[in-house]
């Protein structure tokens, strides 16, 4: 593997164009869903090698994170259907030791979850120190699908006097405060919005319908949600504008080309882990004598 410090430097350069640390004034039109940076779309072999190198670097960084047992990392993935969240997680994290990784997927809330505040179900799955936690969707659904379909608020049993036009502003404020609290306790937060175009989503839906082995991936509800595309894009834009901070940035990742999406996601994680000054635990001086004695005893065995 190439020098880890050099990979971290390159990763920082690749991830920066998509990193939003201050949401005010951000517009989705600033990002092209089909963007591939400086990489050629037909150079798949080069992209494969870049990802493999990134996966190897992540493996080493994750091992140091686990052994140091101080920081923890929370990766949040949000996207429209067929944007490639599952495949990005699968490919980018393929080299990570499962013992150091925790994954949670959040679909429609259960009756038990609806009996609690909107952050409760996600808090239960926060990563332990030394581990990487992955949220496939998250509490951000509360300012996305619930905002596009406000009738869902009625099912959340929130007192009516606490609803109204300010409910979204309050939720943004609560999320910022929650993430600030997590950051101050050693949980590093990275948030990824995989930005797929409506045209590319249509092609991926059709591919699922034309391949019997992919029928299980398709739901008629997915097509129904396409009719709310503009509402969702506005909700995503407002979400980023109101919750992107230096301590919990949003990465708006071009998602029309899955191979590039994975490289950007891997680069962002490498960049962040590389800034934590991770290292393997150092053996106390007094213990080195014990190690030397153990080695001597093993070598003396017949």
């Amino acid at each position: 593997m190439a020098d880890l410090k050099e990979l971290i430097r390159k990763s920082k350069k690749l991830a920066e164009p998509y990193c939003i640390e201050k949401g005010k004034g951000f517009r989705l039109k600033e990002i092209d869903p089909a963007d591939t940076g400086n990489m050629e779309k037909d150079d798949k072999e080069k992209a494969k090698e870049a990802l493999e190198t990134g996966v190897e670097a992540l493996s080493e960084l994750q091992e140091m994170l686990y052994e140091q047992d101080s920081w923890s990392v929370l990766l949040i993935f949000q996207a429209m259907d067929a944007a490639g969240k599952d495949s990005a997680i699968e490919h980018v994290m393929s080299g990570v030791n499962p013992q150091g990784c925790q994954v949670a997927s959040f679909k429609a809330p259960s009756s038990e979850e609806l009996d609690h505040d909107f952050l409760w179900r996600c808090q239960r799955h926060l990563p332990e120190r030394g581990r990487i936690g992955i949220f496939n969707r998250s509490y951000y659904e509360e300012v996305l699908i619930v905002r596009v379909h406000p009738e869902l608020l009625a099912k959340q049993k929130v007192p009516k006097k606490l609803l109204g036009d300010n409910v979204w502003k309050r939720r943004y404020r609560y999320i910022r405060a929650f993430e600030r609290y997590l950051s101050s306790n050693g949980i590093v937060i990275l948030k990824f919005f995989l930005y797929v175009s409506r045209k590319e989503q249509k092609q991926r839906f059709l591919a699922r319908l034309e391949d019997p082995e992919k029928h299980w991936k398709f739901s008629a509800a997915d097509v129904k949600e396409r009719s709310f595309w503009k509402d969702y894009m506005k909700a995503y834009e407002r979400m980023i504008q109101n919750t992107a901070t230096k301590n919990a940035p949003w990465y708006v990742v071009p998602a029309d080309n899955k191979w590039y999406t994975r490289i950007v996601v891997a680069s962002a994680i490498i960049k962040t882990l590389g800034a934590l000054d991770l290292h393997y635990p150092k053996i106390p001086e007094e213990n080195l004598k014990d190690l030397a004695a153990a080695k001597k005893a093993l070598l003396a065995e017949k």
Side-chain angles (χ1 to χ4, degrees):
M1 186 180 72
D3 180 74
L4 187 57
K5 290 184 178 179
E6 178 64 14
L7 279 173
I8 292 170
R9 186 189 68 78
K10 290 182 178 179
S11 294
K12 181 178 180 180
K13 187 176 180 180
L14 180 59
E16 275 182 346
Y18 311 109
C19 181
I20 313 299
E21 294 185 341
K22 187 176 181 181
K24 188 176 181 181
F26 171 76
R27 295 289 183 271
L28 274 180
K29 64 182 181 181
E30 297 175 9
I31 307 293
D32 178 7
D35 186 23
T36 57
N38 295 321
M39 303 186 74
E40 297 294 333
K41 293 184 179 181
D42 58 352
D43 198 351
K44 297 293 180 68
E45 192 60 36
K46 182 179 179 181
K48 181 180 178 181
E49 291 176 4
L51 181 60
E52 288 175 351
T53 302
V55 167
E56 193 174 348
L58 275 179
S59 178
E60 184 172 345
L61 287 165
Q62 180 267 329
E63 187 174 352
M64 287 189 283
L65 177 79
Y66 185 80
E67 294 298 334
Q68 190 169 313
D69 197 27
S70 180
W71 297 96
S72 58
V73 178
L74 175 61
L75 310 177
I76 296 176
F77 288 84
Q78 294 287 161
M80 294 294 286
D81 293 309
K85 294 194 310 303
D86 292 344
S87 63
I89 294 170
E90 176 186 356
H91 285 79
V92 173
M93 306 306 291
S94 61
V96 173
N97 188 329
Q99 292 184 96
C101 194
Q102 303 164 207
V103 184
S105 296
F106 299 96
K107 300 184 183 297
S110 66
S111 58
E112 179 188 19
E113 291 167 342
L114 289 172
D115 274 333
H116 292 80
D117 64 272
F118 76 90
L119 291 170
W120 180 78
R121 67 173 181 162
C122 292
Q123 291 184 65
R124 302 165 67 201
H125 297 278
L126 290 172
E128 303 170 32
R129 294 195 186 281
R131 288 167 172 76
I132 297 176
I134 301 172
F135 283 1
N136 189 338
R137 301 192 189 278
S138 67
Y139 43 83
Y140 278 103
E141 293 294 284
E142 297 296 328
V143 292
L144 291 169
I145 188 171
V146 179
R147 184 159 193 171
V148 173
H149 299 286
E151 65 273 13
L152 295 176
L153 274 174
K155 298 181 179 180
Q156 297 187 349
K157 306 177 184 179
V158 179
K160 289 184 179 180
K161 70 176 183 178
L162 298 180
L163 299 177
D165 294 337
N166 289 326
V167 65
W168 311 117
K169 290 183 179 179
R170 289 201 305 273
R171 288 192 170 186
Y172 292 141
R173 187 168 69 249
Y174 300 153
I175 288 172
R176 290 195 302 268
F178 178 59
E179 292 179 343
R180 188 164 58 248
Y181 167 77
L182 296 182
S183 296
S184 67
N185 280 276
I187 299 179
V188 180
I189 305 169
L190 288 178
K191 303 176 296 195
F192 298 98
F193 167 44
L194 305 192
Y195 185 24
V196 69
S197 67
R198 194 167 189 266
K199 179 181 178 181
E200 178 61 23
Q201 187 199 53
K202 177 181 177 180
Q203 295 304 314
R204 293 180 186 179
F205 280 167
L206 288 173
R208 291 178 180 181
L209 289 169
E210 292 168 0
D211 185 350
E213 293 186 358
K214 293 184 178 180
H215 284 176
W216 64 273
K217 288 186 175 183
F218 186 80
S219 169
D222 296 340
V223 174
K224 180 180 178 182
E225 290 304 293
R226 273 177 62 83
S227 64
F228 298 96
W229 187 272
K230 289 184 179 179
D231 294 328
Y232 272 110
M233 293 304 103
K234 185 180 294 184
Y236 274 109
E237 188 171 86
R238 288 174 175 171
M239 173 193 75
I240 294 165
Q241 290 170 344
N242 286 278
T243 63
T245 64
K246 186 175 182 179
N247 289 328
W250 274 105
Y251 283 86
V252 183
V253 185
D256 277 9
N257 297 282
K258 289 185 178 181
W259 59 267
Y260 189 67
T261 302
R262 297 162 187 165
I263 292 174
V264 173
V265 170
S267 296
I269 301 171
I270 291 170
K271 165 198 166 186
T272 302
L273 290 177
L276 296 181
D277 189 29
L278 300 174
H279 52 77
Y280 292 109
K282 294 182 179 179
I283 302 298
E285 190 69 30
E286 57 270 23
N287 289 357
L288 292 178
K289 293 182 180 179
D290 294 335
L291 295 179
K295 180 180 178 180
K296 184 177 180 180
L298 288 169
L299 292 173
E301 288 182 0
K302 294 182 180 180

